[in-house]
Amino acid sequence: MNKTFLKISTIALAPLLLLSACGDSKSSKDPMVVEPPAPTPVNYSYQVTVTNLTHAQPMSPVAVVLHNEGSLWQIGEAASGALEVMAEGGDNTQVLAQDMVLAGESGAGLLMPGMHESIDVTLTDTMPMMLSVATMLVNTNDAFTGVSAMDISNLMAGESISFTARSYDAGTEFNTETAASIPGPASGGAGEGYNEARDDIADHVTMHPGVVSSDDGLSTSALSAGHKFDNPTLRITIARTE
Amino acid sequence: MKLKYSILGAAIAASSIQVQAQQLDIKITNLTQGIYFTPFLVAAHNADGKLFSVGEEASANLQMMAEGGNVSGLSADLSALSADIKENPAEGLLAPAMSTSLMLDTTDGNNYLSIVSMLLPTNDGFVGLNSWMIPTEPGTYTIDLNAYDAGTEANDEIVNGGGAPGAPGIPVDPSGHGGTGGMGVTDMEQNTTIHIHRGSLGDDDATGGKSDLNNTVHRWLNPVARITVTVN
């Protein structure tokens, strides 16, 4: 950004220098210093409204990210460490702190089933090409939902786009559904969230198969039928406000 | 006079049908966590080449594909229609989260794309892109596919090597996470037409229970596959 500013100011000054060189000798000894007007900052602002569509899966504070490169996840690729931390334990701080993030905001707290929340995010002087959203389904081992690297470059101010998102499995923790491994309220909050060990079937992000629950045949599960979910799990509306 | 009219007629007929050879780059991604896909049949064909219809009974050749992964019958059906066919692009099973890519040159008049494969381990589950009209406009198109049930075999969820049409049971569990000694989930198929697969049940008993499938590995939620088609 600083570089760009430098370039613009050099270009703006060039004609002035030229002018003073062509002027008479008196004024050329004492050139007038002209301060170029500071460019007005241009804001690219988006309001992202998320709605939890599940029956009983609270979602961890929602991360909203503007970026021009990279992605939060890709099907078939191993999850990043930052995504793993969020998908297993609901902590989005590492997701928001990634190098690719140009602007990032977090939801205020847990997004409860049926509830919605609007999160504002703004980037100044650089138009963002992509927007990503991520949140954990907290009554699971490593399920999350959201959208990765959505192209928003054609979204004009005043326009909005709305769609639903499915659930993904981070591929970093086997879906045991035990109380010891579920951080959400289904385990009384006693379960472990993030653990760096990766013990899933395969270390790849995939679609989530859904939870089994003790009511549906997994005797060691801390979940009941009420924790089951189907796709989609999250509604996302992106409105560009300026 | 007569000759003139017939030439004119032929010219009109040719221009009204989209007859255009195209070159397609096709990528197939397995979106599931624990389901394998048998070797794919990928084909561009004409309007008569529809491989299946939801709500109708499966053809014998679709049954052969859905119960045992054998696409030779469907491939022969399409060959008879002069379809452009590629088989087995992944050179074997397509494992969970994996992708395979291929190029397909279509000939004039083959304006529909179909892709089918059996889901393992299931009794007669399959994934299918069904006569998708190939766009004439160059670009990249993404299609997510759901899992179907052929309606030809009871979903007993017993892994016994049964892959021939009409033979009960699941041919194989490539994941290695399944069990043995299941009693069988059911011995009947209530809906004998092609429908959206209800998903597998599985259980948590590796040496007994109802099912030989593992309920934490072999379930899925739709979609199960993503097709990315680039029209060049």
Side-chain angles (χ1 to χ4, degrees):
Chain A
M1 210 150 63
N2 282 339
K3 250 185 198 164
T4 315
F5 176 72
L6 209 69
K7 255 186 203 160
I8 291 167
S9 54
T10 311
I11 293 163
L13 286 173
L16 291 174
L17 292 171
L18 202 69
L19 207 68
S20 59
C22 295
D24 63 300
S25 54
K26 280 179 209 166
S27 57
S28 66
K29 280 179 185 171
D30 190 20
M32 217 164 51
V33 177
V34 179
E35 283 286 327
T40 319
V42 180
N43 285 336
Y44 298 90
S45 297
Y46 301 83
Q47 182 173 70
V48 179
T49 303
V50 284
T51 306
N52 182 336
L53 303 177
T54 70
H55 177 257
Q57 286 286 346
M59 292 175 181
S60 67
V62 178
V64 177
V65 165
L66 297 174
H67 54 112
N68 279 340
E69 57 186 29
S71 57
L72 291 194
W73 72 88
Q74 275 184 295
I75 294 263
E77 303 287 319
S80 68
L83 185 79
E84 179 184 6
V85 168
M86 189 210 74
E88 294 183 11
D91 176 1
N92 66 21
T93 51
Q94 287 193 31
V95 166
L96 292 168
Q98 291 176 104
D99 286 346
M100 60 175 242
V101 176
L102 299 175
E105 295 290 341
S106 173
L110 281 178
L111 181 66
M112 299 305 285
M115 305 306 284
H116 62 89
E117 178 183 14
S118 291
I119 300 159
D120 293 305
V121 61
T122 294
L123 187 62
T124 303
D125 287 344
T126 301
M127 183 174 174
M129 296 291 137
M130 293 180 265
L131 186 146
S132 293
V133 175
T135 175
M136 178 197 184
L137 280 63
V138 300
N139 285 323
T140 67
N141 291 86
D142 60 343
F144 66 97
T145 181
V147 64
S148 182
M150 169 111 187
D151 182 351
I152 54 162
S153 59
N154 290 325
L155 196 65
M156 298 295 129
E159 289 182 343
S160 69
I161 180 171
S162 188
F163 53 95
T164 55
R166 300 160 178 150
S167 290
Y168 300 89
D169 191 306
T172 57
E173 183 177 319
F174 197 83
N175 295 340
T176 59
E177 301 181 15
T178 58
S181 68
I182 304 259
S187 67
E192 179 187 52
Y194 169 64
N195 183 317
E196 67 179 339
R198 295 196 176 192
D199 63 351
D200 216 330
I201 304 169
D203 190 2
H204 302 294
V205 177
T206 61
M207 301 293 300
H208 199 282
V211 295
V212 181
S213 83
S214 56
D215 289 328
D216 200 13
L218 185 58
S219 52
T220 52
S221 175
L223 308 178
S224 64
H227 297 112
K228 291 171 77 78
F229 57 86
D230 202 343
N231 286 323
T233 47
L234 185 71
R235 173 165 287 281
I236 303 172
T237 302
I238 304 169
R240 184 170 158 196
T241 50
E242 65 176 313
Chain B
M1 239 2 217
K2 214 174 184 181
L3 192 68
K4 248 188 193 168
Y5 275 126
S6 62
I7 289 170
L8 191 67
I12 290 169
S15 64
S16 63
I17 305 167
Q18 291 282 358
V19 280
Q20 196 183 354
Q22 289 174 299
Q23 191 194 59
L24 309 178
D25 291 319
I26 300 169
K27 184 181 175 191
I28 306 168
T29 303
N30 180 342
L31 300 177
T32 73
Q33 201 196 26
I35 303 295
Y36 288 71
F37 296 156
T38 60
F40 282 91
L41 172 66
V42 180
H45 53 80
N46 64 25
D48 296 328
K50 202 169 186 192
L51 297 181
F52 64 97
S53 297
V54 172
E56 292 181 17
E57 286 192 359
S59 68
N61 287 334
L62 189 101
Q63 178 181 7
M64 187 161 72
M65 182 277 296
E67 294 188 15
N70 182 349
V71 298
S72 62
L74 292 175
S75 187
D77 289 346
L78 292 172
S79 287
L81 297 173
S82 303
D84 307 299
I85 298 170
K86 285 268 172 84
E87 286 182 35
N88 195 13
E91 296 179 343
L93 298 175
L94 186 66
M98 294 295 114
S99 295
T100 184
S101 296
L102 68 148
M103 267 174 46
L104 186 68
D105 288 317
T106 72
T107 47
D108 289 358
N110 287 340
N111 302 323
Y112 298 88
L113 183 67
S114 288
I115 300 174
V116 290
S117 160
M118 179 193 185
L119 273 55
L120 284 175
T122 68
N123 289 86
D124 60 340
F126 69 100
V127 61
L129 176 68
N130 195 11
S131 282
W132 181 72
M133 189 182 274
I134 302 164
T136 51
E137 192 176 325
T140 298
Y141 301 84
T142 301
I143 312 141
D144 285 347
L145 302 182
N146 297 323
Y148 296 96
D149 188 309
T152 56
E153 181 179 320
N155 293 353
D156 63 8
E157 301 187 10
I158 303 297
V159 181
N160 63 356
I170 295 172
V172 66
D173 165 30
S175 75
H177 286 274
T180 56
M183 298 294 292
V185 172
T186 180
D187 60 2
M188 62 176 294
E189 184 77 353
Q190 287 179 320
N191 182 347
T192 57
T193 65
I194 295 169
H195 52 274
I196 292 287
H197 202 291
R198 61 191 180 272
S200 291
L201 184 67
D203 62 33
D204 60 354
D205 187 343
T207 55
K210 286 182 179 173
S211 171
D212 285 346
L213 304 185
N214 184 329
N215 60 12
T216 61
V217 175
H218 295 133
R219 293 186 176 191
W220 69 83
L221 295 178
N222 282 322
V224 294
R226 175 164 296 166
I227 310 291
T228 309
V229 180
T230 302
V231 179
N232 292 305

